[in-house]
Amino acid sequence: GTSFFMATLIVMSNPSFSSGFIASFNPSFTSLNCQKLASHSQSHRPPTLSTARGRSTRRTFPVCSQAGSEKRICIVGGGFGGLYTALNLAKYLEAKGKSKETSVTLISDSERFVYSPFLYELVTGELQDWEVAPVYTDVLKGTGVKFLQGKAQSVDKINKTISVDLASLSGGGKQEVSYDKLILATGGNSKDEKEGEPGVFGFRSLEDAKKLRARLAGLKFANKKPIKIAVVGGGYPGIELSCSLAANMKKNVDITIFQRGDKILPRANLYNRIVATQRLAELGVKKFLRTEVVEIKDDSVSWKQNNGAVAEDKFDIIIRASSSRPSVLNGLDVQEEDGRIHVNDMLKVKEEEDLYAVGDIARCIDSSGSPVPSTAQIAMQQAEVAAWNVVADLTGGVPLTFRRQDLGEMLSLGGYTASLSSKAFGLQLDDKLAHLLRRSVYLIRMPSTDHKLKVASSWFRRLPDEIEKSLGLR
Ligand SMILES: Cc1cc2nc3c(=O)[nH]c(=O)nc-3n(C[C@H](O)[C@H](O)[C@H](O)COP(=O)(O)OP(=O)(O)OC[C@H]3O[C@@H](n4cnc5c(N)ncnc54)[C@H](O)[C@@H]3O)c2cc1C
């Protein structure tokens, strides 16, 4: 186990890990390295990009030039799909010597990227806000990518502009941003209407996690014991959050999970499901399976029992950990299903020349014919292919098809334990070693070397403290 762990870390710490590893499984990815990029630049294939049509005379945001030879790539949404597409674009354009004549602008509505797999640790205080959610301007430093903080409202496909409500830090007001190529990466963060109520919390964003943390702190301060928590949804976020809270707060919390289906973690592999089930039992977390929640109020949950009768109970905190429905920007008028945009296996929006979509917003059947799940792992893999294909589109290179690589899954189970299972690495592991491996792998996958180094040194300083806590010495 340990030697495998070390070998895995060594392989993953190699900067070429992501494309190199993927390449070993998928021949189409081998072209994602710089040598091939250079050879593509000598290709005589004519550019597929049509020239920009009738430009708008409306005010445009100054980061994008009005016309001329500069090509403008815009990305809307700065999550795993959007941010990593921007970082890959910077790399590929640089390798192709096209950075000067191409602008890349990332538009996102908050000032921070959120590394969602670490949101549990942010709530329990094991990790700090800046570690889990670095500001975009830091992680984009030195890449040439411009960051614009604002909410994109609509897209005008004829004039190729995006209408953005700018945040005050980016100047405020409404602005039109021009593009030649647009990558949609707005994820699945739309709010549930119930989440506005005082005792009801979502669990997808940094704000959700901070609000939950503040509420827990308030209840602890008021000496509420035990704090009663309902978690609605027994998928990954619901189970991982329940374990983290139960392990962190021990006897001071009473957690009930409501799950509609007949098992928790329906999408997880069997090993992780078994480990998580045991962990929930060990931590005293209750779970109601095959249970339909019929109503959520700010302090109570009602659910249908097996006999059809409706039961109700009061809770201090109700967390909706069920999946969210993405929403497509106005004016796009593209093929969609449940708010997800249909893309082809080159990640181009169907029947569109200049639009791409990646991550949770994209409904994608990959080149092997399999539908791809909505995960950060997939969004990061798509970010490589989308960036490559946009550059290929602009420069006459050869586009790649996307094929999902299942690298496995890792679950945080609280109290410095985790469970992980990977067919690709032939690995199944749980408890503290799995926790260490999970943390290390996620550290390596964080954006920007600078941020990784800062986080690594911060963790290193806290290591003695963590070891004591994980061994139960404190
Ligand atoms: C608690 C939690 C834990 C998770 N753990 C894992 C894990 O361990 N492994 C894994 O693979 N996946 C995990 N996931 C799933 C993963 O986070 C998502 O699949 C992934 O974030 C999708 O990336 P994305 O870029 O499509 O969307 P997101 O990461 O959601 O990013 C979308 C971004 O776009 C911004 N945005 C949206 N609309 C607009 C707009 N109109 N204008 C401007 N900006 C906009 C949003 O604010 C957000 O920053 C987890 C999810 C959660 C909630």
Side-chain angles (χ1 to χ4, degrees), residues 76-82 107-109 116-117 119-120 136 150-152 185-189 203-204 329 359-360 374-377 379 442:
V76 180
F80 282 91
I107 302 167
S108 206
D109 51 6
S116 50
L119 277 181
Y120 317 107
Y136 287 107
K151 189 158 184 75
T186 46
N189 276 337
F203 196 65
R204 285 182 290 278
L329 295 177
D360 288 3
S374 298
T375 64
Q377 189 183 120
Y442 282 156

PDB file of all heavy atoms in Angstrom, residues 76-82 107-109 116-117 119-120 136 150-152 185-189 203-204 329 359-360 374-377 379 442, ligand 1:
ATOM      1  N   VAL A  76     -17.016  31.942 -20.059  1.00  0.00           N
ATOM      2  CA  VAL A  76     -17.959  32.387 -19.025  1.00  0.00           C
ATOM      3  C   VAL A  76     -18.080  31.287 -17.979  1.00  0.00           C
ATOM      4  O   VAL A  76     -18.486  30.166 -18.289  1.00  0.00           O
ATOM      5  CB  VAL A  76     -19.352  32.711 -19.609  1.00  0.00           C
ATOM      6  CG1 VAL A  76     -20.291  33.163 -18.496  1.00  0.00           C
ATOM      7  CG2 VAL A  76     -19.247  33.795 -20.656  1.00  0.00           C
ATOM      8  N   GLY A  77     -17.711  31.622 -16.734  1.00  0.00           N
ATOM      9  CA  GLY A  77     -17.769  30.653 -15.630  1.00  0.00           C
ATOM     10  C   GLY A  77     -16.368  30.223 -15.243  1.00  0.00           C
ATOM     11  O   GLY A  77     -15.640  29.656 -16.055  1.00  0.00           O
ATOM     12  N   GLY A  78     -15.999  30.510 -13.999  1.00  0.00           N
ATOM     13  CA  GLY A  78     -14.620  30.229 -13.565  1.00  0.00           C
ATOM     14  C   GLY A  78     -14.520  29.062 -12.611  1.00  0.00           C
ATOM     15  O   GLY A  78     -13.813  29.126 -11.608  1.00  0.00           O
ATOM     16  N   GLY A  79     -15.224  27.961 -12.896  1.00  0.00           N
ATOM     17  CA  GLY A  79     -15.092  26.758 -12.070  1.00  0.00           C
ATOM     18  C   GLY A  79     -14.015  25.852 -12.658  1.00  0.00           C
ATOM     19  O   GLY A  79     -13.099  26.304 -13.344  1.00  0.00           O
ATOM     20  N   PHE A  80     -14.142  24.556 -12.400  1.00  0.00           N
ATOM     21  CA  PHE A  80     -13.134  23.610 -12.890  1.00  0.00           C
ATOM     22  C   PHE A  80     -13.047  23.642 -14.412  1.00  0.00           C
ATOM     23  O   PHE A  80     -11.966  23.598 -14.976  1.00  0.00           O
ATOM     24  CB  PHE A  80     -13.464  22.193 -12.410  1.00  0.00           C
ATOM     25  CG  PHE A  80     -13.078  21.974 -10.982  1.00  0.00           C
ATOM     26  CD1 PHE A  80     -13.977  22.214  -9.961  1.00  0.00           C
ATOM     27  CD2 PHE A  80     -11.801  21.552 -10.658  1.00  0.00           C
ATOM     28  CE1 PHE A  80     -13.620  22.029  -8.638  1.00  0.00           C
ATOM     29  CE2 PHE A  80     -11.429  21.367  -9.340  1.00  0.00           C
ATOM     30  CZ  PHE A  80     -12.341  21.604  -8.325  1.00  0.00           C
ATOM     31  N   GLY A  81     -14.212  23.699 -15.069  1.00  0.00           N
ATOM     32  CA  GLY A  81     -14.195  23.718 -16.530  1.00  0.00           C
ATOM     33  C   GLY A  81     -13.592  25.007 -17.056  1.00  0.00           C
ATOM     34  O   GLY A  81     -12.655  24.995 -17.858  1.00  0.00           O
ATOM     35  N   GLY A  82     -14.109  26.148 -16.587  1.00  0.00           N
ATOM     36  CA  GLY A  82     -13.706  27.446 -17.138  1.00  0.00           C
ATOM     37  C   GLY A  82     -12.285  27.845 -16.783  1.00  0.00           C
ATOM     38  O   GLY A  82     -11.501  28.226 -17.656  1.00  0.00           O
ATOM     39  N   ILE A 107     -14.613  35.333 -17.517  1.00  0.00           N
ATOM     40  CA  ILE A 107     -15.661  36.105 -16.832  1.00  0.00           C
ATOM     41  C   ILE A 107     -16.294  35.197 -15.787  1.00  0.00           C
ATOM     42  O   ILE A 107     -16.767  34.106 -16.112  1.00  0.00           O
ATOM     43  CB  ILE A 107     -16.759  36.542 -17.834  1.00  0.00           C
ATOM     44  CG1 ILE A 107     -16.152  37.375 -18.969  1.00  0.00           C
ATOM     45  CG2 ILE A 107     -17.878  37.307 -17.128  1.00  0.00           C
ATOM     46  CD1 ILE A 107     -17.093  37.589 -20.149  1.00  0.00           C
ATOM     47  N   SER A 108     -16.274  35.623 -14.541  1.00  0.00           N
ATOM     48  CA  SER A 108     -16.956  34.821 -13.525  1.00  0.00           C
ATOM     49  C   SER A 108     -17.563  35.739 -12.478  1.00  0.00           C
ATOM     50  O   SER A 108     -17.082  36.853 -12.279  1.00  0.00           O
ATOM     51  CB  SER A 108     -16.014  33.803 -12.891  1.00  0.00           C
ATOM     52  OG  SER A 108     -16.771  32.706 -12.404  1.00  0.00           O
ATOM     53  N   ASP A 109     -18.629  35.252 -11.829  1.00  0.00           N
ATOM     54  CA  ASP A 109     -19.376  36.180 -10.985  1.00  0.00           C
ATOM     55  C   ASP A 109     -18.806  36.387  -9.590  1.00  0.00           C
ATOM     56  O   ASP A 109     -19.216  37.299  -8.891  1.00  0.00           O
ATOM     57  CB  ASP A 109     -20.866  35.784 -10.923  1.00  0.00           C
ATOM     58  CG  ASP A 109     -21.073  34.336 -10.557  1.00  0.00           C
ATOM     59  OD1 ASP A 109     -20.082  33.651 -10.238  1.00  0.00           O
ATOM     60  OD2 ASP A 109     -22.225  33.870 -10.597  1.00  0.00           O
ATOM     61  N   SER A 116     -14.142  22.728  -4.894  1.00  0.00           N
ATOM     62  CA  SER A 116     -15.294  22.150  -4.175  1.00  0.00           C
ATOM     63  C   SER A 116     -14.994  20.871  -3.379  1.00  0.00           C
ATOM     64  O   SER A 116     -15.594  20.682  -2.312  1.00  0.00           O
ATOM     65  CB  SER A 116     -16.463  21.926  -5.130  1.00  0.00           C
ATOM     66  OG  SER A 116     -16.034  21.243  -6.267  1.00  0.00           O
ATOM     67  N   PRO A 117     -14.092  19.979  -3.816  1.00  0.00           N
ATOM     68  CA  PRO A 117     -13.858  18.785  -2.989  1.00  0.00           C
ATOM     69  C   PRO A 117     -13.369  19.108  -1.577  1.00  0.00           C
ATOM     70  O   PRO A 117     -13.452  18.268  -0.686  1.00  0.00           O
ATOM     71  CB  PRO A 117     -12.771  18.028  -3.773  1.00  0.00           C
ATOM     72  CG  PRO A 117     -12.945  18.459  -5.183  1.00  0.00           C
ATOM     73  CD  PRO A 117     -13.384  19.891  -5.104  1.00  0.00           C
ATOM     74  N   LEU A 119     -14.637  21.682   0.251  1.00  0.00           N
ATOM     75  CA  LEU A 119     -15.618  22.512   0.977  1.00  0.00           C
ATOM     76  C   LEU A 119     -15.952  21.933   2.355  1.00  0.00           C
ATOM     77  O   LEU A 119     -16.260  22.674   3.284  1.00  0.00           O
ATOM     78  CB  LEU A 119     -16.908  22.656   0.163  1.00  0.00           C
ATOM     79  CG  LEU A 119     -16.923  23.730  -0.926  1.00  0.00           C
ATOM     80  CD1 LEU A 119     -18.276  23.771  -1.619  1.00  0.00           C
ATOM     81  CD2 LEU A 119     -16.593  25.113  -0.367  1.00  0.00           C
ATOM     82  N   TYR A 120     -15.871  20.605   2.476  1.00  0.00           N
ATOM     83  CA  TYR A 120     -16.170  19.983   3.786  1.00  0.00           C
ATOM     84  C   TYR A 120     -15.160  20.459   4.824  1.00  0.00           C
ATOM     85  O   TYR A 120     -15.511  20.807   5.948  1.00  0.00           O
ATOM     86  CB  TYR A 120     -16.106  18.450   3.690  1.00  0.00           C
ATOM     87  CG  TYR A 120     -16.760  17.910   2.442  1.00  0.00           C
ATOM     88  CD1 TYR A 120     -16.008  17.394   1.389  1.00  0.00           C
ATOM     89  CD2 TYR A 120     -18.144  17.956   2.309  1.00  0.00           C
ATOM     90  CE1 TYR A 120     -16.615  16.924   0.238  1.00  0.00           C
ATOM     91  CE2 TYR A 120     -18.757  17.494   1.158  1.00  0.00           C
ATOM     92  CZ  TYR A 120     -17.983  16.986   0.123  1.00  0.00           C
ATOM     93  OH  TYR A 120     -18.594  16.540  -1.008  1.00  0.00           O
ATOM     94  N   TYR A 136      -8.972  34.687  -8.262  1.00  0.00           N
ATOM     95  CA  TYR A 136      -8.610  34.426  -9.670  1.00  0.00           C
ATOM     96  C   TYR A 136      -7.360  35.191 -10.077  1.00  0.00           C
ATOM     97  O   TYR A 136      -6.510  34.677 -10.794  1.00  0.00           O
ATOM     98  CB  TYR A 136      -9.760  34.825 -10.602  1.00  0.00           C
ATOM     99  CG  TYR A 136     -10.930  33.876 -10.543  1.00  0.00           C
ATOM    100  CD1 TYR A 136     -12.114  34.245  -9.925  1.00  0.00           C
ATOM    101  CD2 TYR A 136     -10.850  32.610 -11.107  1.00  0.00           C
ATOM    102  CE1 TYR A 136     -13.192  33.379  -9.871  1.00  0.00           C
ATOM    103  CE2 TYR A 136     -11.921  31.735 -11.058  1.00  0.00           C
ATOM    104  CZ  TYR A 136     -13.091  32.128 -10.431  1.00  0.00           C
ATOM    105  OH  TYR A 136     -14.148  31.256 -10.373  1.00  0.00           O
ATOM    106  N   GLY A 150     -17.994  39.472 -13.000  1.00  0.00           N
ATOM    107  CA  GLY A 150     -19.341  39.929 -13.326  1.00  0.00           C
ATOM    108  C   GLY A 150     -20.226  38.753 -13.688  1.00  0.00           C
ATOM    109  O   GLY A 150     -19.744  37.640 -13.907  1.00  0.00           O
ATOM    110  N   LYS A 151     -21.517  39.020 -13.730  1.00  0.00           N
ATOM    111  CA  LYS A 151     -22.460  37.951 -14.073  1.00  0.00           C
ATOM    112  C   LYS A 151     -22.889  38.113 -15.521  1.00  0.00           C
ATOM    113  O   LYS A 151     -23.465  39.141 -15.888  1.00  0.00           O
ATOM    114  CB  LYS A 151     -23.671  38.014 -13.136  1.00  0.00           C
ATOM    115  CG  LYS A 151     -24.579  36.821 -13.296  1.00  0.00           C
ATOM    116  CD  LYS A 151     -25.431  36.611 -12.064  1.00  0.00           C
ATOM    117  CE  LYS A 151     -26.275  35.356 -12.176  1.00  0.00           C
ATOM    118  NZ  LYS A 151     -25.540  34.110 -12.006  1.00  0.00           N
ATOM    119  N   ALA A 152     -22.605  37.117 -16.334  1.00  0.00           N
ATOM    120  CA  ALA A 152     -23.046  37.154 -17.730  1.00  0.00           C
ATOM    121  C   ALA A 152     -24.555  36.960 -17.747  1.00  0.00           C
ATOM    122  O   ALA A 152     -25.072  36.045 -17.100  1.00  0.00           O
ATOM    123  CB  ALA A 152     -22.358  36.059 -18.521  1.00  0.00           C
ATOM    124  N   ALA A 185     -19.066  27.729 -19.444  1.00  0.00           N
ATOM    125  CA  ALA A 185     -18.651  26.849 -18.339  1.00  0.00           C
ATOM    126  C   ALA A 185     -19.325  27.307 -17.056  1.00  0.00           C
ATOM    127  O   ALA A 185     -18.682  27.457 -16.023  1.00  0.00           O
ATOM    128  CB  ALA A 185     -17.128  26.883 -18.210  1.00  0.00           C
ATOM    129  N   THR A 186     -20.643  27.521 -17.140  1.00  0.00           N
ATOM    130  CA  THR A 186     -21.344  28.131 -15.998  1.00  0.00           C
ATOM    131  C   THR A 186     -21.774  27.115 -14.942  1.00  0.00           C
ATOM    132  O   THR A 186     -22.381  27.488 -13.939  1.00  0.00           O
ATOM    133  CB  THR A 186     -22.564  28.943 -16.483  1.00  0.00           C
ATOM    134  OG1 THR A 186     -23.279  28.156 -17.433  1.00  0.00           O
ATOM    135  CG2 THR A 186     -22.144  30.237 -17.128  1.00  0.00           C
ATOM    136  N   GLY A 187     -21.478  25.839 -15.144  1.00  0.00           N
ATOM    137  CA  GLY A 187     -21.696  24.836 -14.102  1.00  0.00           C
ATOM    138  C   GLY A 187     -23.153  24.625 -13.750  1.00  0.00           C
ATOM    139  O   GLY A 187     -24.057  24.939 -14.519  1.00  0.00           O
ATOM    140  N   GLY A 188     -23.378  24.081 -12.559  1.00  0.00           N
ATOM    141  CA  GLY A 188     -24.747  23.742 -12.153  1.00  0.00           C
ATOM    142  C   GLY A 188     -25.101  24.372 -10.832  1.00  0.00           C
ATOM    143  O   GLY A 188     -25.604  23.703  -9.941  1.00  0.00           O
ATOM    144  N   ASN A 189     -24.820  25.655 -10.710  1.00  0.00           N
ATOM    145  CA  ASN A 189     -24.942  26.279  -9.395  1.00  0.00           C
ATOM    146  C   ASN A 189     -26.246  26.994  -9.111  1.00  0.00           C
ATOM    147  O   ASN A 189     -26.321  27.743  -8.149  1.00  0.00           O
ATOM    148  CB  ASN A 189     -23.799  27.285  -9.197  1.00  0.00           C
ATOM    149  CG  ASN A 189     -22.559  26.566  -8.709  1.00  0.00           C
ATOM    150  OD1 ASN A 189     -22.658  25.490  -8.148  1.00  0.00           O
ATOM    151  ND2 ASN A 189     -21.411  27.146  -8.939  1.00  0.00           N
ATOM    152  N   PHE A 203     -25.427  23.437  -0.515  1.00  0.00           N
ATOM    153  CA  PHE A 203     -24.019  23.112  -0.260  1.00  0.00           C
ATOM    154  C   PHE A 203     -23.278  22.933  -1.577  1.00  0.00           C
ATOM    155  O   PHE A 203     -22.911  21.834  -1.972  1.00  0.00           O
ATOM    156  CB  PHE A 203     -23.889  21.865   0.625  1.00  0.00           C
ATOM    157  CG  PHE A 203     -22.505  21.739   1.197  1.00  0.00           C
ATOM    158  CD1 PHE A 203     -22.032  22.690   2.086  1.00  0.00           C
ATOM    159  CD2 PHE A 203     -21.655  20.722   0.807  1.00  0.00           C
ATOM    160  CE1 PHE A 203     -20.740  22.625   2.587  1.00  0.00           C
ATOM    161  CE2 PHE A 203     -20.364  20.641   1.303  1.00  0.00           C
ATOM    162  CZ  PHE A 203     -19.913  21.596   2.195  1.00  0.00           C
ATOM    163  N   ARG A 204     -23.097  24.051  -2.277  1.00  0.00           N
ATOM    164  CA  ARG A 204     -22.398  23.999  -3.550  1.00  0.00           C
ATOM    165  C   ARG A 204     -21.333  25.077  -3.663  1.00  0.00           C
ATOM    166  O   ARG A 204     -20.330  24.888  -4.316  1.00  0.00           O
ATOM    167  CB  ARG A 204     -23.399  24.161  -4.706  1.00  0.00           C
ATOM    168  CG  ARG A 204     -24.220  22.928  -4.973  1.00  0.00           C
ATOM    169  CD  ARG A 204     -25.135  23.134  -6.150  1.00  0.00           C
ATOM    170  NE  ARG A 204     -26.204  24.079  -5.851  1.00  0.00           N
ATOM    171  CZ  ARG A 204     -27.316  23.757  -5.212  1.00  0.00           C
ATOM    172  NH1 ARG A 204     -27.522  22.528  -4.820  1.00  0.00           N
ATOM    173  NH2 ARG A 204     -28.240  24.658  -4.983  1.00  0.00           N
ATOM    174  N   LEU A 329     -27.641  30.576 -20.394  1.00  0.00           N
ATOM    175  CA  LEU A 329     -27.737  32.034 -20.534  1.00  0.00           C
ATOM    176  C   LEU A 329     -28.801  32.416 -21.562  1.00  0.00           C
ATOM    177  O   LEU A 329     -29.023  31.694 -22.537  1.00  0.00           O
ATOM    178  CB  LEU A 329     -26.392  32.602 -21.001  1.00  0.00           C
ATOM    179  CG  LEU A 329     -25.221  32.458 -20.028  1.00  0.00           C
ATOM    180  CD1 LEU A 329     -23.949  32.995 -20.662  1.00  0.00           C
ATOM    181  CD2 LEU A 329     -25.504  33.189 -18.733  1.00  0.00           C
ATOM    182  N   GLY A 359     -17.791  21.029 -18.696  1.00  0.00           N
ATOM    183  CA  GLY A 359     -18.191  20.877 -17.295  1.00  0.00           C
ATOM    184  C   GLY A 359     -19.659  20.529 -17.145  1.00  0.00           C
ATOM    185  O   GLY A 359     -20.290  19.978 -18.054  1.00  0.00           O
ATOM    186  N   ASP A 360     -20.213  20.880 -15.985  1.00  0.00           N
ATOM    187  CA  ASP A 360     -21.579  20.465 -15.640  1.00  0.00           C
ATOM    188  C   ASP A 360     -22.642  21.019 -16.583  1.00  0.00           C
ATOM    189  O   ASP A 360     -23.730  20.455 -16.683  1.00  0.00           O
ATOM    190  CB  ASP A 360     -21.916  20.919 -14.208  1.00  0.00           C
ATOM    191  CG  ASP A 360     -21.170  20.117 -13.150  1.00  0.00           C
ATOM    192  OD1 ASP A 360     -20.348  19.253 -13.525  1.00  0.00           O
ATOM    193  OD2 ASP A 360     -21.403  20.354 -11.950  1.00  0.00           O
ATOM    194  N   SER A 374     -21.228  14.514 -14.354  1.00  0.00           N
ATOM    195  CA  SER A 374     -20.904  15.901 -14.003  1.00  0.00           C
ATOM    196  C   SER A 374     -19.963  15.899 -12.810  1.00  0.00           C
ATOM    197  O   SER A 374     -20.405  15.850 -11.664  1.00  0.00           O
ATOM    198  CB  SER A 374     -22.185  16.650 -13.627  1.00  0.00           C
ATOM    199  OG  SER A 374     -23.046  16.693 -14.711  1.00  0.00           O
ATOM    200  N   THR A 375     -18.678  15.910 -13.065  1.00  0.00           N
ATOM    201  CA  THR A 375     -17.703  15.930 -11.969  1.00  0.00           C
ATOM    202  C   THR A 375     -16.578  16.903 -12.312  1.00  0.00           C
ATOM    203  O   THR A 375     -16.380  17.263 -13.478  1.00  0.00           O
ATOM    204  CB  THR A 375     -17.062  14.543 -11.735  1.00  0.00           C
ATOM    205  OG1 THR A 375     -16.317  14.189 -12.904  1.00  0.00           O
ATOM    206  CG2 THR A 375     -18.082  13.472 -11.442  1.00  0.00           C
ATOM    207  N   ALA A 376     -15.834  17.269 -11.274  1.00  0.00           N
ATOM    208  CA  ALA A 376     -14.681  18.145 -11.484  1.00  0.00           C
ATOM    209  C   ALA A 376     -13.637  17.424 -12.337  1.00  0.00           C
ATOM    210  O   ALA A 376     -12.973  18.030 -13.182  1.00  0.00           O
ATOM    211  CB  ALA A 376     -14.090  18.525 -10.136  1.00  0.00           C
ATOM    212  N   GLN A 377     -13.522  16.119 -12.103  1.00  0.00           N
ATOM    213  CA  GLN A 377     -12.550  15.326 -12.865  1.00  0.00           C
ATOM    214  C   GLN A 377     -12.814  15.434 -14.369  1.00  0.00           C
ATOM    215  O   GLN A 377     -11.906  15.663 -15.170  1.00  0.00           O
ATOM    216  CB  GLN A 377     -12.673  13.864 -12.407  1.00  0.00           C
ATOM    217  CG  GLN A 377     -11.604  12.957 -12.930  1.00  0.00           C
ATOM    218  CD  GLN A 377     -11.829  11.511 -12.504  1.00  0.00           C
ATOM    219  OE1 GLN A 377     -11.967  10.651 -13.364  1.00  0.00           O
ATOM    220  NE2 GLN A 377     -11.878  11.234 -11.224  1.00  0.00           N
ATOM    221  N   ALA A 379     -14.680  17.805 -15.848  1.00  0.00           N
ATOM    222  CA  ALA A 379     -14.543  19.206 -16.284  1.00  0.00           C
ATOM    223  C   ALA A 379     -13.077  19.517 -16.591  1.00  0.00           C
ATOM    224  O   ALA A 379     -12.768  20.191 -17.579  1.00  0.00           O
ATOM    225  CB  ALA A 379     -15.081  20.139 -15.207  1.00  0.00           C
ATOM    226  N   TYR A 442      -5.267  16.021  -4.516  1.00  0.00           N
ATOM    227  CA  TYR A 442      -6.000  17.268  -4.751  1.00  0.00           C
ATOM    228  C   TYR A 442      -5.072  18.478  -4.704  1.00  0.00           C
ATOM    229  O   TYR A 442      -5.290  19.453  -5.421  1.00  0.00           O
ATOM    230  CB  TYR A 442      -7.153  17.420  -3.750  1.00  0.00           C
ATOM    231  CG  TYR A 442      -8.366  16.572  -4.098  1.00  0.00           C
ATOM    232  CD1 TYR A 442      -9.274  16.179  -3.126  1.00  0.00           C
ATOM    233  CD2 TYR A 442      -8.609  16.178  -5.406  1.00  0.00           C
ATOM    234  CE1 TYR A 442     -10.389  15.411  -3.441  1.00  0.00           C
ATOM    235  CE2 TYR A 442      -9.711  15.408  -5.733  1.00  0.00           C
ATOM    236  CZ  TYR A 442     -10.597  15.027  -4.752  1.00  0.00           C
ATOM    237  OH  TYR A 442     -11.696  14.272  -5.078  1.00  0.00           O
TER     238      TYR A 442
HETATM  239  C1  LIG B   1     -19.369  19.895  -2.099  1.00  0.00           C
HETATM  240  C2  LIG B   1     -18.963  19.355  -3.428  1.00  0.00           C
HETATM  241  C3  LIG B   1     -17.925  18.443  -3.517  1.00  0.00           C
HETATM  242  C4  LIG B   1     -17.530  17.941  -4.749  1.00  0.00           C
HETATM  243  N1  LIG B   1     -16.506  17.042  -4.791  1.00  0.00           N
HETATM  244  C5  LIG B   1     -16.098  16.565  -5.979  1.00  0.00           C
HETATM  245  C6  LIG B   1     -15.011  15.645  -6.047  1.00  0.00           C
HETATM  246  O1  LIG B   1     -14.439  15.256  -5.022  1.00  0.00           O
HETATM  247  N2  LIG B   1     -14.623  15.215  -7.268  1.00  0.00           N
HETATM  248  C7  LIG B   1     -15.240  15.623  -8.417  1.00  0.00           C
HETATM  249  O2  LIG B   1     -14.826  15.202  -9.503  1.00  0.00           O
HETATM  250  N3  LIG B   1     -16.285  16.472  -8.384  1.00  0.00           N
HETATM  251  C8  LIG B   1     -16.724  16.960  -7.199  1.00  0.00           C
HETATM  252  N4  LIG B   1     -17.785  17.827  -7.149  1.00  0.00           N
HETATM  253  C9  LIG B   1     -18.465  18.212  -8.394  1.00  0.00           C
HETATM  254  C10 LIG B   1     -17.706  19.355  -9.032  1.00  0.00           C
HETATM  255  O3  LIG B   1     -17.549  20.419  -8.125  1.00  0.00           O
HETATM  256  C11 LIG B   1     -18.414  19.861 -10.270  1.00  0.00           C
HETATM  257  O4  LIG B   1     -18.682  18.794 -11.132  1.00  0.00           O
HETATM  258  C12 LIG B   1     -17.521  20.879 -10.960  1.00  0.00           C
HETATM  259  O5  LIG B   1     -17.359  21.991 -10.121  1.00  0.00           O
HETATM  260  C13 LIG B   1     -18.087  21.299 -12.298  1.00  0.00           C
HETATM  261  O6  LIG B   1     -17.267  22.288 -12.825  1.00  0.00           O
HETATM  262  P1  LIG B   1     -17.887  23.443 -13.740  1.00  0.00           P
HETATM  263  O7  LIG B   1     -16.746  24.283 -14.170  1.00  0.00           O
HETATM  264  O8  LIG B   1     -18.766  22.858 -14.761  1.00  0.00           O
HETATM  265  O9  LIG B   1     -18.848  24.251 -12.779  1.00  0.00           O
HETATM  266  P2  LIG B   1     -18.557  25.033 -11.446  1.00  0.00           P
HETATM  267  O10 LIG B   1     -17.346  24.518 -10.778  1.00  0.00           O
HETATM  268  O11 LIG B   1     -19.850  25.029 -10.720  1.00  0.00           O
HETATM  269  O12 LIG B   1     -18.222  26.509 -11.921  1.00  0.00           O
HETATM  270  C14 LIG B   1     -19.129  27.339 -12.564  1.00  0.00           C
HETATM  271  C15 LIG B   1     -18.687  28.759 -12.304  1.00  0.00           C
HETATM  272  O13 LIG B   1     -19.401  29.642 -13.150  1.00  0.00           O
HETATM  273  C16 LIG B   1     -19.866  30.744 -12.398  1.00  0.00           C
HETATM  274  N5  LIG B   1     -21.064  31.228 -13.079  1.00  0.00           N
HETATM  275  C17 LIG B   1     -22.261  30.604 -13.206  1.00  0.00           C
HETATM  276  N6  LIG B   1     -23.106  31.363 -13.939  1.00  0.00           N
HETATM  277  C18 LIG B   1     -22.413  32.478 -14.279  1.00  0.00           C
HETATM  278  C19 LIG B   1     -22.742  33.635 -15.029  1.00  0.00           C
HETATM  279  N7  LIG B   1     -23.952  33.797 -15.584  1.00  0.00           N
HETATM  280  N8  LIG B   1     -21.800  34.602 -15.179  1.00  0.00           N
HETATM  281  C20 LIG B   1     -20.569  34.469 -14.625  1.00  0.00           C
HETATM  282  N9  LIG B   1     -20.203  33.387 -13.909  1.00  0.00           N
HETATM  283  C21 LIG B   1     -21.118  32.403 -13.741  1.00  0.00           C
HETATM  284  C22 LIG B   1     -20.144  30.144 -11.022  1.00  0.00           C
HETATM  285  O14 LIG B   1     -20.170  31.122 -10.009  1.00  0.00           O
HETATM  286  C23 LIG B   1     -18.948  29.210 -10.883  1.00  0.00           C
HETATM  287  O15 LIG B   1     -17.821  29.894 -10.407  1.00  0.00           O
HETATM  288  C24 LIG B   1     -18.196  18.353  -5.928  1.00  0.00           C
HETATM  289  C25 LIG B   1     -19.250  19.279  -5.841  1.00  0.00           C
HETATM  290  C26 LIG B   1     -19.627  19.774  -4.608  1.00  0.00           C
HETATM  291  C27 LIG B   1     -20.755  20.763  -4.523  1.00  0.00           C
END
